[in-house]
Amino acid sequence: RAGDEPAAPVVLFAFDDYFPAVSTTDMVSRVSDVLCCKPSELAFYPVPKLMIRRVGDHELHSAVRASELGDGTFEAREIGDAIAYAR
C-alpha cells in the first residue's frame, strides 16, 4: 500500500540483527516526526529525539549535547518522564 497513511500514529521497528536496524533507521529518519531512542549514536540523526534511559554512563553526554542543541530531550529515565516530554 505504498503512499497510504499508516493505520496507527506510532510505528515501532525492532530487529535482532544490526545491519537491518541501521538501514531501516537511515531510511525512516527522513520521514519521521520524532525518534525515540537511547542516547547513543542515534543522538546525531537529524530528527527530533525523545531520549530514553541510557545503557552506559558514556551515553549521558550525547543526551546533554542533543538537548543543548534543541535537537533532543534530556534523558527520560522513567516512563512518566517520557510521557511528560511527549505531551
Side-chain angles (χ1 to χ4, degrees):
R1 301 180 346 177
D4 289 349
E5 290 290 321
V10 175
V11 179
L12 301 175
F13 295 94
F15 298 92
D16 292 327
D17 297 317
Y18 175 81
F19 183 77
V22 171
S23 180
T24 300
T25 303
D26 287 343
M27 289 186 287
V28 301
S29 67
R30 299 177 199 149
V31 295
S32 298
D33 296 318
V34 66
L35 174 65
C36 181
C37 62
K38 67 185 187 74
S40 62
E41 296 80 15
L42 295 176
F44 302 101
Y45 271 78
V47 61
K49 285 162 273 311
L50 170 61
M51 300 290 190
I52 56 174
R53 181 179 288 198
R54 67 182 183 262
V55 174
D57 288 339
H58 65 286
E59 294 180 336
L60 170 65
H61 303 291
S62 295
V64 169
R65 184 64 178 148
S67 67
E68 289 172 347
L69 295 172
D71 187 53
T73 65
F74 284 110
E75 178 185 9
R77 297 201 46 87
E78 303 293 331
I79 293 172
D81 299 330
I83 290 170
Y85 275 122
R87 290 187 177 166

